[in-house]
Amino acid sequence: MNKFIQQNKLAILRVVTIFIMVILCAVLVYFLLDKQDEKGADIGETQQWIGVGAVFLVGIAVVYSVVVKYFRSPEKKRRIYRNKYHDVFFKGTVIFAILLAIGGNLYGLLSYFEGGNPYRIVGLSITVIWLAVFMIYFVWSVYFYNINYGITDEEWEKIFRAKEMNEFGVTHDDPGLVEPLYNPYRSQTFGLPPGTVRGMIAFTLLIGGISLLISSYGLDYVSNAEVALRAKQFEFFETAFLMMIAFYFGDKSLKYLQKRWNGNQKPTEDNEEENSQKTSGNPLETKTTETFSFPTSDPMAIEDQAFLEEDEMFAENNKTADLTKPVTQLKNALNTTPTPPVTAIGSAYVQIMDNINAKLLIDEEIKEALVELKAEKEIELTLPIVKAVISVESSGRGHLKDGRAKILFEGHKFWYWLSKAGKKEEELAELQKEHPSIIYPKWTREYYGLGKEEYKRLELAKTIDEKAAVYSASWGLFQILGENLENNIKSRNYKDVAEFEAKQHEAEYYHFLDFLAFIQYKKLKGKALINYIAEGNEGGYDWASFAYGYNGRGYKVNKYDQKMEAAYLKFKKELG
C-alpha cells in the first residue's frame, strides 16, 4: 500500500484536493440558493439540491479525467499512435452530454414531484436525451472521417506500428490495412458521408415535433395567445420537416435524372479529334477560353470533381494540370492572369533543395563505391544487384526528420556489453530495476519507442556507459549494430564510437560503406556474404544464402530471398 501511495502520490493529492474543493463549492452553492422570495416565503430546496448535484457532477468529471491520465495501462502509455484530439473530441463531449442528460432528467423529475405536468416532463426528457445522443454521434462522425479518414484508432495503431517496424527492419504481423491518404467524403458537408447531415437534421426535427406533441397532452389552454403559440410551434416543426424530406428526395431525383441525361452520351469521332487537337503540344500554351461543361445541377458533383483533380495533381508530384478537366477549365476561365512556368520558382532555390537532400544515398555514390571495390578487392557488384539488396534490407531512409540517424536501441545487447565491461550480475540486476526500459537480459520489443523516442533510451544508456550504449543500438539505412565495430565493420577504421556515431548522422553514403564492409567480412559456410551476389557467379546469384547470412533464420518466413530476386529483375529491366 505504501509503495502504491509513493508511486502515485501526485495523482492521489490531486484527487483529494478536487474532492475538498467540490465539497466546499457544494456547501457554498447550497447556502447561496437558500433565499426567500419577495413575500418572504422560502423558494424551496429543489433549486438548492440541483445546484449541489451539478457541482458534484462536475467534480466527478474532473476526478475521472485525473484518474484516466495517471492510471492508464503501460500498454496505452507506449502506444505509437497517440491522437491528441481524441480526448478533446470524446471525453469532453461524452462528459458534457451525460451531464446534460442527467441534469435535464433530474430537473424534470423534481418538477414532477412538485406537481408538474408528467407529459411535459416526458417531452423534456426525450428532447434532452436526443440532444445528448446527437452531440455524441456528430462529434464521433466528425472525428472518424475528418481526423481518422474513415478508420478506427486501433487500425491506425496497427498501421503506424507496421510502418515503424518495417522501417527498422523488425519482423511484424501484416495488419492487412491500407493507410488512407485523405477523408473519402472531404467534399461533403462537415466531411461526412452524403445525406448524414440532412438525416441528422431531419431526425432532430422529427424528435422535436414528437416531444412538442407529447408535452401538449394534458395542458389546459386558458388564453388564445397560448393556443396560437402552440399552433405556431407545431407549424414550424411540420414545415421544417417536410422541407427536409422534399430537399432530400428532390436531390436524389436530380442525381437520377442527371445520370440518365449524361450517362449515355458518348463522344463522337469528330469530338475526339477536336479534343486531341486542343490538348496536343505544350499544355501551358493551351487557351483557357475553350468551352467546357460540368454538372451545374449538382454542386456536390463539382466539389467532388475538384478534389479528384487536385488529388491527381498531387499524385503526380505537382505536374501541370490537365486542362481538359472540367473544373480546371472553369478555374482557368475565371483566372485572367497568365500562369508562370512551373520551374520558375524551383530553379531559384537549387541550393536549398541540394542541402535538404544532401544526406540521401544516390546512384552516383553507389557506382563510385563499386568502382573502388572492384579496383581494390577485385570484387564486382552491379548496380541492379546493390539496389535490389538496398530496397529489401534497408529501412527506407537512414535519417529522421531532424537529421539524426535512425536507431533502434536493444536493451539485451546493453546488458551483454555492460557485462563485457566488467559489470557483475548483481549490478546488472540493480540497473535493470532502476532503468527497466534500457537494460534486460533477453530480447523483447516491449520497450521500443521508435523514431525520436529511441534517442531518449540511448542518451540514458550513455550516462551509464557510452561505448556499450552505442554498441547496443542499430544504426542508419541498414540498421547495423554498433557492436559490429568489433569485427564485421572493423575495416572501416573508425577511431572510436564518437566518430562512428558522427558519420551515421552525416549521410547515408557512410551507411552504405559500412554495409559493404559488413557483407565482405560476415561469412556463411566459410564464404563472405558478398560472394553470393558478386558477378563471379556469372548470374547464378544465391539469394537464399545471402538472406540467411544477413537476416538469420527468419529470412524464410519473411521471404527476403524471393523479394531480393524480384527486386533485382525489376532494377535490371529499368537500368539495363
Side-chain angles (χ1 to χ4, degrees):
M1 186 66 181
N2 291 333
K3 185 177 179 181
F4 176 82
I5 294 174
Q6 280 295 115
Q7 291 177 343
N8 303 285
K9 57 184 178 181
L10 182 59
I12 295 172
L13 179 62
R14 289 192 175 186
V15 170
V16 171
T17 303
I18 291 169
F19 269 118
I20 294 173
M21 293 298 295
V22 166
I23 293 172
L24 292 176
C25 289
V27 172
L28 180 63
V29 168
Y30 184 86
F31 285 107
L32 286 176
L33 294 176
D34 185 18
K35 299 178 180 179
Q36 294 181 337
D37 58 18
E38 294 178 354
K39 297 180 180 179
D42 291 336
I43 295 177
E45 294 186 353
T46 301
Q47 287 80 2
Q48 290 175 296
W49 287 114
I50 289 175
V52 171
V55 171
F56 271 100
L57 287 174
V58 172
I60 291 171
V62 176
V63 169
Y64 170 77
S65 64
V66 171
V67 170
V68 167
K69 178 180 179 181
Y70 280 93
F71 297 100
R72 65 177 57 168
S73 65
E75 291 77 14
K76 288 186 176 180
K77 290 181 180 179
R78 289 195 300 269
R79 288 181 65 181
I80 294 176
Y81 178 73
R82 302 179 182 92
N83 195 313
K84 61 183 179 181
Y85 299 106
H86 186 278
D87 291 349
V88 176
F89 269 76
F90 288 101
K91 292 178 182 176
T93 304
V94 170
I95 291 172
F96 182 78
I98 292 174
L99 291 176
L100 177 66
I102 293 176
N105 285 284
L106 182 63
Y107 174 78
L109 186 64
L110 293 174
S111 298
Y112 172 74
F113 287 139
E114 289 186 355
N117 184 348
Y119 296 105
R120 183 179 179 184
I121 295 163
V122 171
L124 173 64
S125 296
I126 292 174
T127 302
V128 170
I129 292 172
W130 170 252
L131 287 175
V133 172
F134 178 94
M135 185 184 307
I136 293 172
Y137 174 75
F138 179 73
V139 170
W140 170 84
S141 58
V142 169
Y143 175 90
F144 185 74
Y145 289 105
N146 290 280
I147 295 177
N148 270 20
Y149 294 165
I151 63 176
T152 63
D153 280 354
E154 288 73 19
E155 290 171 326
W156 272 115
E157 171 76 13
K158 291 179 181 178
I159 291 172
F160 268 65
R161 182 165 293 278
K163 286 174 63 178
E164 292 288 348
M165 291 297 182
N166 184 61
E167 286 186 356
F168 285 88
V170 180
T171 304
H172 62 85
D173 297 329
D174 186 358
L177 297 169
V178 178
E179 180 183 356
L181 301 178
Y182 49 76
N183 176 9
Y185 304 108
R186 61 203 182 286
S187 67
Q188 306 301 318
T189 306
F190 292 115
L192 305 181
T196 302
V197 175
R198 293 195 297 270
M200 292 164 66
I201 295 175
F203 268 106
T204 301
L205 293 170
L206 180 62
I207 295 295
I210 293 173
S211 300
L212 185 63
L213 178 64
I214 293 174
S215 65
S216 66
Y217 294 157
L219 292 179
D220 295 326
Y221 299 107
V222 296
S223 67
N224 291 332
E226 291 183 9
V227 175
L229 178 62
R230 185 63 59 158
K232 189 173 182 180
Q233 292 172 339
F234 273 114
E235 183 181 359
F236 166 76
F237 278 100
E238 179 187 16
T239 304
F241 183 72
L242 291 176
M243 287 178 67
M244 281 300 304
I245 295 298
F247 175 72
Y248 180 76
F249 286 105
D251 180 68
K252 288 288 185 182
S253 64
L254 286 174
K255 286 187 176 181
Y256 174 74
L257 292 174
Q258 178 191 355
K259 183 177 180 181
R260 290 200 59 184
W261 290 338
N262 299 335
N264 296 325
Q265 293 181 355
K266 296 182 178 180
T268 63
E269 294 181 1
D270 295 338
N271 288 338
E272 289 180 355
E273 183 178 353
E274 181 182 353
N275 289 335
S276 65
Q277 291 176 354
K278 287 180 179 179
T279 57
S280 62
N282 185 354
L284 291 175
E285 295 176 358
T286 304
K287 296 180 180 179
T288 58
T289 56
E290 54 190 344
T291 59
F292 53 88
S293 61
F294 51 91
T296 54
S297 59
D298 188 359
M300 286 190 295
I302 300 175
E303 294 177 6
D304 288 336
Q305 180 67 30
F307 273 101
L308 180 62
E309 293 180 26
E310 290 176 4
D311 286 341
E312 290 177 354
M313 290 173 64
F314 282 117
E316 297 178 4
N317 296 323
N318 291 328
K319 290 182 180 178
T320 306
D322 185 354
L323 299 180
T324 63
K325 299 287 187 179
V327 176
T328 302
Q329 293 179 5
L330 174 60
K331 291 177 181 178
N332 289 341
L334 296 175
N335 183 12
T336 58
T337 304
T339 305
V342 177
T343 58
I345 297 178
S347 61
Y349 300 98
V350 173
Q351 187 58 50
I352 293 177
M353 295 304 297
D354 187 57
N355 292 336
I356 292 173
N357 298 319
K359 293 179 180 288
L360 302 182
L361 179 66
I362 59 176
D363 288 357
E364 285 71 19
E365 291 176 329
I366 297 174
K367 292 176 182 177
E368 180 184 349
L370 295 183
V371 169
E372 292 180 4
L373 177 66
K374 185 177 180 180
E376 296 175 4
K377 305 289 183 65
E378 295 184 355
I379 300 175
E380 183 180 0
L381 291 181
T382 63
L383 184 60
I385 284 282
V386 174
K387 288 182 73 69
V389 174
I390 290 174
S391 68
V392 176
E393 299 293 359
S394 72
S395 58
R397 288 269 65 91
H399 295 88
L400 302 173
K401 291 181 179 179
D402 60 13
R404 292 180 294 179
K406 280 185 179 177
I407 64 167
L408 191 65
F409 188 82
E410 301 287 4
H412 69 293
K413 289 289 183 182
F414 194 46
W415 178 291
Y416 172 79
W417 285 106
L418 285 178
S419 67
K420 284 286 187 180
K423 296 285 186 185
K424 297 181 180 180
E425 288 288 330
E426 297 79 11
E427 294 177 279
L428 293 173
E430 286 298 319
L431 283 172
Q432 184 183 13
K433 290 180 182 179
E434 189 176 355
H435 307 294
S437 67
I438 63 168
I439 180 169
Y440 33 85
K442 295 182 179 180
W443 177 85
T444 176
R445 68 174 59 176
E446 181 181 1
Y447 300 106
Y448 285 164
L450 304 181
K452 295 186 294 185
E453 296 299 315
E454 285 298 295
Y455 273 94
K456 295 179 181 179
R457 301 174 68 206
L458 176 65
E459 294 304 322
L460 180 59
K462 281 183 177 181
T463 62
I464 301 172
D465 189 310
E466 183 177 3
K467 181 178 177 180
V470 175
Y471 272 25
S472 303
S474 55
W475 295 83
L477 190 63
F478 298 93
Q479 287 297 286
I480 293 178
L481 275 166
E483 67 179 20
N484 285 291
L485 286 165
E486 294 285 324
N487 40 54
N488 292 324
I489 62 171
K490 196 172 184 178
S491 62
R492 294 281 294 124
N493 297 320
Y494 291 112
K495 63 181 182 182
D496 53 27
V497 292
E499 184 186 15
F500 168 77
E501 182 176 353
K503 289 297 184 183
Q504 301 307 302
H505 297 313
E506 192 169 329
E508 291 177 353
Y509 178 61
Y510 296 104
H511 304 171
F512 177 61
L513 295 180
D514 292 342
F515 167 75
L516 283 182
F518 181 90
I519 62 176
Q520 289 178 70
Y521 188 92
K522 182 74 180 290
K523 289 182 173 60
L524 177 69
K525 304 173 188 176
K527 186 177 178 180
L529 295 183
I530 194 171
N531 292 319
Y532 289 106
I533 56 174
E535 290 307 300
N537 297 290
E538 298 179 353
Y541 309 116
D542 191 348
W543 297 109
S545 295
F546 180 85
Y548 178 37
Y550 193 86
N551 299 287
R553 298 178 182 276
Y555 89 94
K556 203 79 173 177
V557 177
N558 295 292
K559 301 179 180 178
Y560 287 132
D561 56 332
Q562 298 178 27
K563 291 177 181 178
M564 279 190 284
E565 185 174 9
Y568 165 69
L569 294 174
K570 184 189 82 169
F571 286 118
K572 184 180 179 182
K573 183 178 179 181
E574 291 177 358
L575 301 172

